[in-house]
Amino acid sequence: MTADVEPLDVAVSRIDAGSTVAAGLALEHAIPFAAGHELLRQGVGGLTAVGPISDLLFDQLIGGGAVSDVRAAWVGNVSAGTGYRFREAVENGEITVEDHSNFSIALALQAGAMGVPYLPTRSLLGSDIFERNDRFTEAVDPFGGERVALVPALEPDWAIVHAQRASPAGDVHLWGNTGIVEPAVGAAENVLVTAEEIVEPAVIKSDPSRVAITRDQVTSVVECPFGAHPSPVTGYYNRDDEYYLRYNRQTETANGFEDWASKWVYGVSGREEYATLVDADLEITEPTVAAEVQYGQ
């Protein structure tokens, strides 16, 4: 299987209502905001959002009515703490939350990628997370006799990943913080990659060790410059700190969120028009170049 290079709206239209979608997998880096906003524009609902530290993306999807369930370690605004749309939805019983640690969400996806029903860990023992997630189970290690926690496998319908560059066939270069991209891609039935650039296959082949995702794993690939704003993309642009603070101020109420979304999501046709709204200077001013690597015989 090789990916299809598609416009963002076409690629996102493949995601059905009610799907389980893993995103924000590289933690605070390269969050696929463009794809998330397109989900809102298309009115896709009933999603189960899966991720570690999703930052603003899940808050926005929840505010826009796209999410009914959350399986995550943290949802909010890294710069300001609370994600008001997430908090209000929880308080009003509008969404259900399956609480995880960062490690347990990684283990759940790793189990899915491995095709095993669960993976064990000691890290959850002694915590109160069992009171907030009844899917975790305590067991006895049959080899050592010690208590362990069992984390059930998670296999999302979709993983959405933003990367620096990809080939038309779907081979992907991703560098910087990659978080739990690898297990999520391995566990997901489908993978949507948005990339800052679509490059010639020779560019990807020139540095094979940087290939984080291969074409056989990818369903759709989209060229989407600025597709992770306001999060940073290593080597392309910095984090828009002020955007996070403005979002916090503007979305404290449901009406405030609607005003925000009418400008940043529904008021633009796509990422190119979205970029015209950004007035921050996010240019990389002190580039750091990796040492040259020699391949060949």
Side-chain angles (χ1 to χ4, degrees):
M1 181 180 72
T2 58
D4 296 318
V5 179
E6 298 176 317
L8 182 61
D9 58 343
V10 174
V12 168
S13 71
R14 294 171 176 263
I15 301 175
D16 295 328
S19 295
T20 297
V21 178
L25 302 164
L27 308 180
E28 295 176 45
H29 174 241
I31 300 171
F33 281 100
H37 291 182
E38 186 59 34
L39 282 167
L40 292 178
R41 279 191 290 272
Q42 295 192 19
V44 181
L47 300 176
T48 296
V50 174
I53 299 174
S54 69
D55 215 341
L56 295 187
L57 178 58
F58 285 7
D59 193 69
Q60 293 175 359
L61 291 172
I62 292 165
V67 173
S68 59
D69 302 281
V70 173
R71 297 179 180 179
W74 187 86
V75 178
N77 183 331
V78 168
S79 292
T82 297
Y84 291 113
R85 297 305 90 223
F86 168 70
R87 177 176 175 173
E88 188 171 293
V90 172
E91 291 174 344
N92 293 340
E94 297 169 357
I95 61 173
T96 62
V97 178
E98 182 178 298
D99 203 6
H100 279 265
S101 70
N102 278 325
F103 187 52
S104 71
I105 201 74
L107 280 180
L109 291 167
Q110 183 64 50
M114 294 171 64
V116 299
Y118 61 85
L119 283 174
T121 180
R122 295 188 180 93
S123 72
L124 301 178
L125 298 174
S127 74
D128 64 355
I129 199 168
F130 287 92
E131 299 173 12
R132 304 192 303 274
N133 188 336
D134 58 10
R135 283 166 50 81
F136 296 148
T137 301
E138 283 197 34
V140 176
D141 174 12
F143 301 102
E146 299 178 345
R147 292 166 54 236
V148 292
L150 307 183
V151 178
L154 183 54
E155 297 176 289
D157 299 304
W158 286 87
I160 304 177
V161 178
H162 189 75
Q164 282 92 342
R165 57 194 180 213
S167 74
D171 297 312
V172 177
H173 273 180
L174 172 63
W175 63 93
N177 191 357
T178 59
I180 59 171
V181 167
E182 181 179 357
V185 167
E189 182 177 352
N190 299 283
V191 176
L192 166 58
V193 172
T194 57
E196 291 293 318
E197 298 180 85
I198 300 296
V199 298
E200 292 297 323
V203 175
I204 303 297
K205 292 178 181 179
S206 71
D207 194 357
S209 294
R210 206 175 300 280
V211 177
I213 306 171
T214 57
R215 67 182 68 186
D216 59 302
Q217 299 171 296
V218 177
T219 306
S220 296
V221 61
V222 176
E223 186 169 53
C224 190
F226 220 45
H229 178 271
S231 68
V233 174
T234 300
Y236 283 73
Y237 44 86
N238 288 311
R239 188 176 189 271
D240 191 343
D241 295 319
E242 182 57 35
Y243 177 103
Y244 283 82
L245 299 176
R246 287 200 309 267
Y247 178 84
N248 178 68
R249 294 190 297 266
Q250 293 170 355
T251 61
E252 186 171 356
T253 66
N255 287 338
F257 176 84
E258 291 301 323
D259 290 342
W260 172 86
S262 68
K263 174 182 178 179
W264 291 93
V265 179
Y266 306 113
V268 297
S269 58
R271 211 58 176 178
E272 185 175 354
E273 187 175 359
Y274 171 99
T276 66
L277 302 178
V278 179
D279 57 6
D281 182 5
L282 307 176
E283 183 179 358
I284 302 295
T285 56
E286 298 182 13
T288 302
V289 180
E292 184 179 356
V293 175
Q294 294 290 339
Y295 292 100
Q297 299 179 2

